[in-house]
């Protein structure tokens, strides 16, 4: 069978100590053997390491931040598409998904395929909406409420005992052990990501995660559970191991079936000492540790590309347990000319 | 008091729980105990084996054995939660 020749645009090339999923997604696609990709990197910052990884990314273009508006981002995508004829676009950041969802009609018109959740799926799993989500779909979630100003933090004592988890709407989460700490974290997160801030009940237990792919009709195409073995100061997994845990898989199947989830997903769960699973977050995209799933036998990036192209994918039901990933840092050497080209021309 | 079926014990004494992802290391005595537990041997038979094989009194062995079991329980490597 001849490999499928596709031009695939990917964001999330920030392969830093708080990595975006771009490079692991590209590795999965390149490993597939069934796809012969030309990878187009879409970068928001000039120093995203993936830009300079020429064995991974064939060509990179800078794109405007989603906060500059859907119109600006879509205009840039149009320009890039005219040169590159993008077949599939894989957005890898929570913060940009909304913009691409709003631009979905334009992407369809350009014949750029995506495989992302619907606006409703995206909105209802939002951290701020998690209590309603738990009730609607019958899953355990920690109680939470949102605050828009530091004064609202007084409400914490009416709801919970400390510690509580203070979370940004897209990223960042801190455990606050006192009112004072909650105020500090409120300022820190709101300065970066704006409001509202989510105050979530702290559930004691072990954090476990699932990377999964929903086919948009209720079917789970892939799912691999993982436990973080080493966590960075930023709370990111530096090492993890695939688990043999049917309860985590059953919960994933249930959520994907109930919501008819379309696209990649990461479930962040807490397993309590009495073995209950609490959903603390649902990330609406492939996580940066997805290459563990590829290593364990489920090539989720490849499956996502095939689904985006309308090619049916058989559900992957097995994977190897006890497969580990360990991240490392690596100093790439590059010429300032490369940096110059990207900075001046917006492409490399 | 049964070891979880899924627990993998290697010859080097590396113990891996694929459900939790936790791993542990045990010495040769620990390995022997785990192997006998995997074979569903009752406590009496395990104690008898150690008293016969090693220079140890049954009462001493059982003291250390139950300490070890307590540790296995703490790490959730045992299937039932009945007192040993």
């Amino acid at each position: 069978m001849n490999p499928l020749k596709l031009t695939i645009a990917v964001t999330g090339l920030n392969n830093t100590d708080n990595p975006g999923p771009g490079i692991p997604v590209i590795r999965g696609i390149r490993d597939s053997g069934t796809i012969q990709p030309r990878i187009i990197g879409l970068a928001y910052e000039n120093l995203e390491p993936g830009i300079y990884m020429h064995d991974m990314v064939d060509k990179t273009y800078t794109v405007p931040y989603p906060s500059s508006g859907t119109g600006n981002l879509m205009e840039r995508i149009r320009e890039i598409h005219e040169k590159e004829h993008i077949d599939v676009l894989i957005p890898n950041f929570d913060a940009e998904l909304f913009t691409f969802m709003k631009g979905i009609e334009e992407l369809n018109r350009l014949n750029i395929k995506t495989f992302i959740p619907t606006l409703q799926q995206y909105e209802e799993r939002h951290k701020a909406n998690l209590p309603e989500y738990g009730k609607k779909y019958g899953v355990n979630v920690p109680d939470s409420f949102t605050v828009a100003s530091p004064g609202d933090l007084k409400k914490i004592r009416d709801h919970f005992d400390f510690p509580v988890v203070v979370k940004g709407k897209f990223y960042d989460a801190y455990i606050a052990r006192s009112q004072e700490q909650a105020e500090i974290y409120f300022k820190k997160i709101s300065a970066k990501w704006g409001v509202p801030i989510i105050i979530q009940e702290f559930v004691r237990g072990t954090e476990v995660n699932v990377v999964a792919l929903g086919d948009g009709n209720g079917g789970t195409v892939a799912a691999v559970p993982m436990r973080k073995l080493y966590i960075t100061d930023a709370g990111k997994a530096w090492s993890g191991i695939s688990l043999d845990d049917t309860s985590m898989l059953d919960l994933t199947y249930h959520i994907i079936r109930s919501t008819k989830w379309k696209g990649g997903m990461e479930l962040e769960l807490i397993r309590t000492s009495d073995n209950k699973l609490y959903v603390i977050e649902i990330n609406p995209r492939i996580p940066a540790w997805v290459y563990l799933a590829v290593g364990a036998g489920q090539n989720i990036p490849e499956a996502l590309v095939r689904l985006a192209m309308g090619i049916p994918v058989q559900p992957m039901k097995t994977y190897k347990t006890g497969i580990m990933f360990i991240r490392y840092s690596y100093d790439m050497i590059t010429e300032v000319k490369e940096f110059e080209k990207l900075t001046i021309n917006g492409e490399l | 008091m049964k070891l979880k079926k899924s627990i993998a014990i290697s010859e080097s004494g590396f113990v891996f729980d694929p459900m939790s992802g936790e791993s542990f290391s045990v010495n040769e005595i620990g390995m022997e105990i785990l192997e006998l537990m995997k074979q569903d041997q009752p406590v009496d038979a395990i104690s008898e084996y150690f008293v016969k094989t090693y220079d140890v009194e049954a009462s001493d062995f059982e003291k250390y054995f139950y300490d070890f079991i307590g540790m296995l329980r703490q790490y959730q490597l045992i299937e039932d939660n009945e007192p040993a």
Side-chain angles (χ1 to χ4, degrees), chain A residues 42-321:
Chain A
L42 304 177
Y44 293 103
E45 294 284 345
N46 293 343
L47 279 176
E48 292 182 21
I51 299 167
Y52 305 94
M53 298 169 76
H54 300 307
D55 55 336
M56 287 285 126
V57 181
D58 296 297
K59 174 98 184 178
T60 299
Y61 294 87
T62 53
V63 290
Y65 272 106
S67 53
S68 69
T70 306
N72 286 341
L73 182 58
M74 292 310 295
E75 178 57 36
R76 181 66 173 141
I77 296 291
R78 242 189 322 270
E79 281 172 18
I80 298 166
H81 183 56
E82 276 171 19
K83 294 183 194 169
E84 300 290 348
H85 307 289
I86 299 165
D87 294 301
V88 178
L89 189 154
I90 307 177
N92 284 309
F93 288 123
D94 299 17
E96 69 188 2
L97 262 179
F98 184 74
T99 308
F100 283 114
M101 284 168 188
K102 278 174 75 180
I104 197 85
E105 281 181 17
E106 175 65 0
L107 291 171
N108 288 340
R109 198 187 62 74
L110 295 169
N111 203 24
I112 298 175
K113 315 274 198 314
T114 57
F115 205 71
I116 55 179
T118 64
L119 201 53
Q120 190 209 334
Q121 290 170 341
Y122 174 81
E123 286 294 341
E124 71 176 358
R125 57 84 245 171
H126 216 282
K127 288 175 214 181
N129 302 330
L130 213 51
E132 292 75 34
Y133 189 94
K135 273 183 214 152
K136 185 174 175 187
Y137 296 113
V139 295
N140 296 324
V141 297
D143 198 3
S144 67
F145 64 95
T146 57
V147 290
S149 72
D152 293 344
L153 293 170
K154 287 179 195 146
K155 288 194 291 184
I156 293 177
R157 290 195 184 281
D158 300 337
H159 289 78
F160 310 124
D161 292 326
F162 282 97
V164 295
V165 187
V166 184
K167 291 184 160 187
K169 58 180 172 180
F170 291 124
Y171 304 105
D172 279 353
Y174 297 95
I175 296 168
R177 299 184 190 282
S178 65
Q179 187 74 26
E180 292 72 28
Q181 279 189 349
E183 285 167 17
I184 292 167
Y185 294 139
F186 178 94
K187 284 178 191 157
K188 195 170 177 173
I189 298 171
S190 59
K192 204 168 169 188
W193 301 109
V195 290
I197 299 292
I198 296 106
I199 305 296
Q200 196 174 69
E201 176 190 8
F202 177 74
V203 180
R204 212 170 288 279
T206 306
E207 187 182 334
V208 284
N209 305 67
V210 183
V211 55
L213 177 62
D215 67 4
N217 297 311
T220 301
V221 174
V224 175
M226 176 276 277
R227 187 171 74 88
K228 295 175 184 177
L229 294 177
Y230 189 102
I231 300 173
T232 66
D233 290 347
K236 304 297 161 187
W238 196 256
S239 172
I241 188 163
S242 61
L243 303 179
D244 175 15
D245 192 315
T246 47
S247 61
M248 287 170 72
L249 290 175
D250 288 344
L251 177 62
T252 308
Y253 299 151
H254 168 70
I255 288 174
I256 290 180
R257 187 170 53 243
S258 312
T259 60
K260 294 190 168 44
W261 186 265
K262 184 181 178 189
M265 156 193 278
E266 180 191 26
L267 288 179
E268 294 188 8
L269 311 168
I270 297 286
R271 179 182 288 290
T272 59
S273 56
D274 56 350
N275 267 331
K276 271 189 187 161
L277 286 171
Y278 281 79
V279 178
I280 55 167
E281 236 171 271
I282 300 174
N283 293 318
R285 38 93 195 144
I286 288 174
W289 58 272
V290 67
Y291 198 70
L292 175 72
V294 180
Q298 296 195 3
N299 194 329
I300 290 177
E302 176 193 11
L304 185 141
V305 169
R306 296 181 82 81
L307 288 169
M309 291 301 296
I311 303 166
V313 178
Q314 286 300 313
M316 295 177 258
K317 293 287 182 193
T318 59
Y319 58 89
K320 288 185 213 156
T321 55

Side-chain angles (χ1 to χ4, degrees), chain B residues 8-74:
Chain B
I9 307 162
S10 80
E11 286 174 5
S12 63
F14 185 80
V15 179
F16 176 59
D17 178 356
M19 284 184 73
S20 68
E22 294 279 6
S23 56
F24 312 87
S25 55
V26 292
N27 63 14
E28 286 172 16
I29 301 292
M31 268 174 69
E32 278 189 87
I33 294 175
L34 293 180
E35 284 302 336
L36 291 168
M37 287 178 71
K38 269 218 140 179
Q39 294 163 21
D40 288 337
Q41 296 284 343
V43 177
D44 289 351
I46 296 174
S47 176
E48 200 182 312
Y49 166 81
F50 274 91
V51 169
K52 269 189 190 165
T53 313
Y54 297 98
D55 182 17
V56 63
E57 296 289 328
S59 58
D60 284 342
F61 170 77
E62 282 176 21
K63 178 175 166 290
Y64 292 120
F65 175 77
Y66 284 116
D67 273 354
F68 185 59
I69 295 299
M71 204 176 289
L72 296 180
R73 181 162 285 129
Q74 187 188 333

